[in-house]
Amino acid sequence: MEFFDSHAHYNDERFEEDREAILNKLYNEEQITRITCVGYNIEKSKLAVKLAEEKDFLFATVGISPNDIEDFSEENLKEIESLAKHEKVVAIGEIGLDYYWNKENKEAQRKLFIEQIEIANRLDLPIVIHTRDASVDTIQILKEHPVKNTGIFHCCPLNQELIKNGLELGFYISFSGNITFKNAKSEEPVRLVPNEKILIETDSPYLTPEPFRGTRNDSSKVKLVAKRVSDIKGISLEEVSKITYQNANRVFKIKEK
Ligand code: NI
């Protein structure tokens, strides 16, 4: 069995000291044979690309997240566009709206999101969406600014309306440790997503699944997310590993091995 962690941040400070050892262990001992390292500002997007250059099994995304809006400038958007032309860059992201952390600059967040959708469309890439407390505006923007290659709702909020709308627009739905949390009410949301549209991720170093909450997350724990999907959907862990691997290859347009 092999797993594809479709969203992790090995470009985060919390991996600075042991990044190399962890990545090697994941690949050699934990059956994590593909990982997408996700950017969220200029500096971390550059680092994601550098790490993807160093490791065959790592892929990168580049983008400015709504929580890094201080990086929003014409010059930086040009830099994102030029980084995104690298052969290991598989999506623009994470981009989107976060009205939980930032209520004061909604208009600027929407503008940043739309400008990066346009970059994705110019470069024929999918997008990785971060959306928090902003479902209605997120869906409205995606309807008004269609993304040619669709993309992924990352760490998808367990909001059935959002999932239905996202699926209708052709997007993939990615679940993280959030579906393992007690009181998460994850059954219905997971069942809503057809097998050909589901992805699994860790969002490492964040969102560590049960029973390890509170510790630093890493991609080996994507297996706990897969296990929860397998329990809810009533299919084998092997099948979850296979379909989520194929789905990640398809959305990121990475060749099958
Ligand atoms: Ni993330």
Side-chain angles (χ1 to χ4, degrees), residues 44-175:
K44 299 303 180 186
S45 295
K46 282 185 192 160
L47 184 51
V49 173
K50 180 171 173 283
L51 295 173
E53 275 175 350
E54 291 169 4
K55 301 264 181 228
D56 269 359
F57 65 98
L58 275 191
F59 299 85
T61 77
V62 298
I64 301 169
S65 91
N67 297 324
D68 292 83
I69 200 150
E70 68 274 8
D71 269 3
F72 184 10
S73 69
E74 277 311 307
E75 195 188 325
N76 282 342
L77 286 173
K78 277 191 193 130
E79 179 136 36
I80 290 294
E81 185 152 0
S82 107
L83 281 169
K85 290 175 181 156
H86 192 284
E87 57 174 7
K88 293 292 294 281
V89 171
V90 293
I92 299 295
E94 52 188 279
I95 60 174
L97 304 174
D98 193 324
Y99 297 167
Y100 177 84
W101 288 113
N102 297 300
K103 295 178 183 64
E104 311 304 319
N105 54 11
K106 293 180 178 176
E107 193 47 46
Q109 289 188 45
R110 289 191 284 261
K111 194 156 179 276
L112 175 63
F113 187 25
I114 292 165
E115 293 214 20
Q116 292 183 99
I117 288 174
E118 285 164 3
I119 294 175
N121 283 342
R122 280 199 289 276
L123 300 183
D124 210 19
L125 290 168
I127 63 172
V128 176
I129 301 171
H130 169 107
T131 179
R132 191 159 182 200
D133 287 2
S135 300
V136 172
D137 283 6
T138 301
I139 294 296
Q140 193 191 338
I141 286 175
L142 294 174
K143 282 183 175 162
E144 288 170 2
H145 304 268
V147 189
K148 226 190 315 175
N149 287 284
T150 70
I152 300 165
F153 278 87
H154 128 72
C155 183
C156 192
L158 302 175
N159 166 338
Q160 298 191 33
E161 208 47 40
L162 176 70
I163 292 174
K164 283 181 199 160
N165 280 305
L167 288 169
E168 242 165 61
L169 292 167
F171 279 77
Y172 289 73
I173 306 295
S174 185
F175 293 112

Side-chain angles (χ1 to χ4, degrees), residues 7 9 38 94 130 154 201 203 206:
H7 190 118
H9 301 285
V38 173
E94 52 188 279
H130 169 107
H154 128 72
E201 62 168 76
D203 205 17
Y206 309 104

Side-chain angles (χ1 to χ4, degrees), residues 175 186-194 198 231-233:
F175 293 112
S186 49
E187 282 89 352
E188 278 311 306
V190 171
R191 280 194 206 107
L192 266 180
V193 183
I198 195 165
D231 288 345
I232 293 173
K233 279 186 168 275

Side-chain angles (χ1 to χ4, degrees), residues 173-225:
I173 306 295
S174 185
F175 293 112
S176 64
N178 63 343
I179 63 168
T180 70
F181 298 165
K182 290 184 187 92
N183 311 319
K185 298 203 172 74
S186 49
E187 282 89 352
E188 278 311 306
V190 171
R191 280 194 206 107
L192 266 180
V193 183
N195 287 357
E196 67 274 14
K197 286 291 184 186
I198 195 165
L199 295 172
I200 50 173
E201 62 168 76
T202 56
D203 205 17
S204 297
Y206 309 104
L207 279 168
T208 312
E210 290 289 2
F212 300 102
R213 270 185 103 169
T215 63
R216 183 181 70 172
N217 204 2
D218 70 62
S219 298
S220 65
K221 298 191 178 63
V222 82
K223 291 181 243 182
L224 297 168
V225 180

